[in-house]
């Protein structure tokens, strides 16, 4: 007899049977939602973005699953913090992660599995100038219009 009759547990889905998901659960982080978020980010990094050497580690201070990965072969490793969008981070938490010495990416995971990555840095960072042959044509045209009046 098959089915859920008699108090049998429902069958596990493919995520719960995935070896990496099982490895994340073995890290003994009690927050199941954060583990699920970490797995979604793991899949994005490995299957979509093709990052290298993606591994999961436990942050004992924060009780979180972190990912360590390289964007490409020979690149410096990054720490990736997968976090459900409804979770808050304290300054202390961010400081603990930045003190690990690796570049930090925060990945916000929405309930619909949308992922948004944000680079975190220690201090202010000047943005890179735009790449390409750009001109500020709009302002020049505006000045010409003013002069004609």
């Amino acid at each position: 007899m098959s089915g859920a009759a008699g108090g049998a547990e429902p069958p596990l889905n493919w995520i719960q049977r995935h070896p990496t998901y099982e490895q994340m659960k073995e890290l003994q982080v009690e927050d199941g939602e954060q583990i699920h978020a970490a797995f979604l980010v793991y899949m994005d990094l490995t299957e979509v973005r093709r990052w290298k050497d993606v591994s999961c580690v436990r942050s004992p201070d924060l009780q979180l699953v972190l990912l360590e990965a390289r964007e490409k072969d020979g690149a410096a490793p990054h720490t990736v913090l997968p976090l459900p969008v409804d979770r808050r981070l304290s300054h202390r938490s961010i400081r603990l992660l930045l003190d690990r010495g690796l570049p930090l990416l925060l990945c916000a995971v929405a309930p619909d599995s949308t992922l948004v990555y944000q680079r975190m840095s220690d201090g202010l960072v000047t943005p890179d100038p735009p790449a390409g042959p750009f001109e500020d044509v709009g302002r020049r045209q505006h000045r010409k219009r003013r002069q004609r009046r």
Side-chain angles (χ1 to χ4, degrees), residues 8-140:
E9 291 185 29
L12 297 175
N13 66 29
W14 71 270
I15 291 176
Q16 294 169 322
R17 292 189 311 252
H18 195 281
T20 301
Y21 186 82
E22 290 175 356
Q23 181 184 5
M24 288 178 182
K25 288 187 75 160
E26 290 173 6
L27 295 174
Q28 298 178 348
V29 172
E30 294 179 15
D31 186 352
E33 191 177 356
Q34 199 269 328
I35 293 172
H36 182 75
F39 181 74
L40 294 177
V41 174
Y42 171 85
M43 293 301 290
D44 181 60
L45 291 175
T46 58
E47 301 297 324
V48 178
R49 299 177 187 275
R50 301 285 186 200
W51 280 38
K52 309 295 181 199
D53 306 325
V54 182
S55 62
C56 52
V57 295
R58 179 176 175 256
S59 171
D61 297 327
L62 302 175
Q63 286 295 306
L64 296 171
V65 174
L66 302 174
L67 300 173
E68 288 185 355
R70 298 177 190 277
E71 197 166 355
K72 54 188 170 189
D73 285 329
H78 286 70
T79 297
V80 182
L81 170 58
L83 208 59
V85 293
D86 62 343
R87 298 296 158 81
R88 295 177 183 250
L89 275 180
S90 67
H91 288 100
R92 179 186 161 275
S93 301
I94 296 170
R95 171 58 38 214
L96 286 170
L97 294 169
L98 287 171
D99 286 347
R100 296 180 83 231
L102 299 176
L104 177 63
L105 285 175
L106 170 65
C107 184
V109 181
D112 67 355
S113 300
T114 300
L115 305 177
V116 178
Y117 292 91
Q118 179 66 48
R119 290 191 190 281
M120 305 292 286
S121 65
D122 192 5
L124 297 175
V125 177
T126 305
D128 293 333
F134 296 109
E135 283 188 42
D136 192 4
V137 177
R139 288 190 172 184
R140 287 183 187 165

